[in-house]
Amino acid sequence: MKVTYYGHSCFGVEVCGKRLLFDPFISPNPKAAHINIDTVEADYILVTHGHADHIHDCVAIGKRTGAKVIANYEVYLWLMKQGIENGHPMNMGGSCVFDDIKIKCVVAVHSSSMPDGSYGGNPVGFLIESKEGNFYYAGDTALTYDMKLIGDYKTIDFAFLPIGNNFTMSIDNAIIASDFIRCDRIIGMHYDTFGAIMIDQHEAMQKFGNAGKDLFLMTIGEEKMY
Ligand code: NI
Ligand code: MN
């Protein structure tokens, strides 16, 4: 599986020859100014909730690529109103198989409203299963015991967890989340984009290391094989 970082919580993951794009927020992010959204490819776009820092570029990339956009029902309805035609609504607890890739919506403890203030349903995380491996994309979430369900029933090869604190889990809570999901390879997200979520990256890596875990903090634009 090839992971590409586009900044904040936006990642591309190539799995089984398909390109999954998570929470597209690129063009308003000054740290991702070198990424041209017209070059970002996707077969599927997965959106965890309606907040602008997760959905801002979804309509532009969705329309250009024709990617299938997967989101909760309320976010899906809003995207349809913005002109997305190839959408697929899901909701927590449900799963669906697309091109041999199983996508399951799991609990995220957060909030969700659309950029125009309209109702955005409940936030979700995604569990992805394929013959190439499994991974968990947590979205914006607090630490929650529900994460234990993932670790109890699935083997996770790597996980994307928020670590920026203030709006989501902190570094310390992400280490506990890593225990809950029984996965020691964590890709950090939702940090250092703006003032309230600045972290000490060195300290974060050290804390994970002390817990016997690997924290990967990717450079924006970097690609990495997992
Ligand atoms: Ni959010
Ligand atoms: Mn967010």
Side-chain angles (χ1 to χ4, degrees):
M1 292 177 277
K2 185 174 84 177
V3 176
T4 307
Y5 189 35
Y6 297 112
H8 196 50
S9 290
C10 182
F11 291 87
V13 182
E14 202 174 310
V15 51
C16 297
K18 296 294 170 188
R19 294 157 303 187
L20 277 52
L21 180 69
F22 291 85
D23 283 3
F25 168 82
I26 301 165
S27 61
N29 182 0
K31 297 194 167 175
H34 55 298
I35 308 285
N36 175 359
I37 64 161
D38 293 332
T39 64
V40 176
E41 291 302 332
D43 298 298
Y44 296 93
I45 301 174
L46 293 84
V47 178
T48 58
H49 64 296
H51 292 160
D53 62 318
H54 299 261
I55 203 171
H56 186 277
D57 294 317
C58 183
V59 173
I61 297 173
K63 283 183 178 172
R64 177 179 52 80
T65 60
K68 187 178 287 298
V69 182
I70 297 166
N72 80 26
Y73 184 64
E74 292 79 8
V75 171
Y76 157 86
L77 286 181
W78 186 87
L79 288 167
M80 296 291 274
K81 281 189 202 151
Q82 316 302 313
I84 289 290
E85 291 171 3
N86 187 15
H88 182 94
M90 294 186 72
N91 218 326
M92 265 182 283
S95 63
C96 194
V97 177
F98 304 89
D99 289 317
D100 295 329
I101 301 163
K102 185 177 174 186
I103 297 177
K104 184 176 172 75
C105 280
V106 296
V107 170
V109 178
H110 189 64
S111 61
S112 177
S113 52
M114 308 313 302
D116 59 12
S118 60
Y119 179 56
N122 291 308
V124 301
F126 293 108
L127 178 62
I128 311 296
E129 295 171 67
S130 79
K131 62 180 190 309
E132 292 185 359
N134 305 330
F135 66 92
Y136 168 50
Y137 180 92
D140 280 4
T141 184
L143 177 65
T144 165
Y145 252 48
D146 284 299
M147 291 169 179
K148 287 196 168 191
L149 288 170
I150 296 170
D152 281 353
Y153 296 105
K154 297 293 171 190
T155 302
I156 306 298
D157 295 288
F158 62 91
F160 299 92
L161 298 180
I163 56 171
N165 208 358
N166 195 74
F167 296 112
T168 68
M169 287 192 287
S170 62
I171 293 155
D172 294 325
N173 279 187
I175 290 170
I176 298 170
S178 156
D179 284 335
F180 285 179
I181 61 174
R182 300 185 196 173
C183 174
D184 292 336
R185 301 169 84 198
I186 303 300
I187 301 170
M189 61 180 183
H190 214 273
Y191 65 93
D192 282 359
T193 313
F194 38 81
I197 58 172
M198 298 303 283
I199 65 161
D200 180 332
Q201 294 193 14
H202 181 72
E203 184 192 6
M205 311 262 288
Q206 243 173 9
K207 282 184 169 180
F208 271 79
N210 291 343
K213 300 170 186 296
D214 288 319
L215 175 67
F216 303 98
L217 300 178
M218 293 176 70
T219 303
I220 299 174
E222 183 186 355
E223 293 178 350
K224 198 165 164 38
M225 296 299 295
Y226 284 91

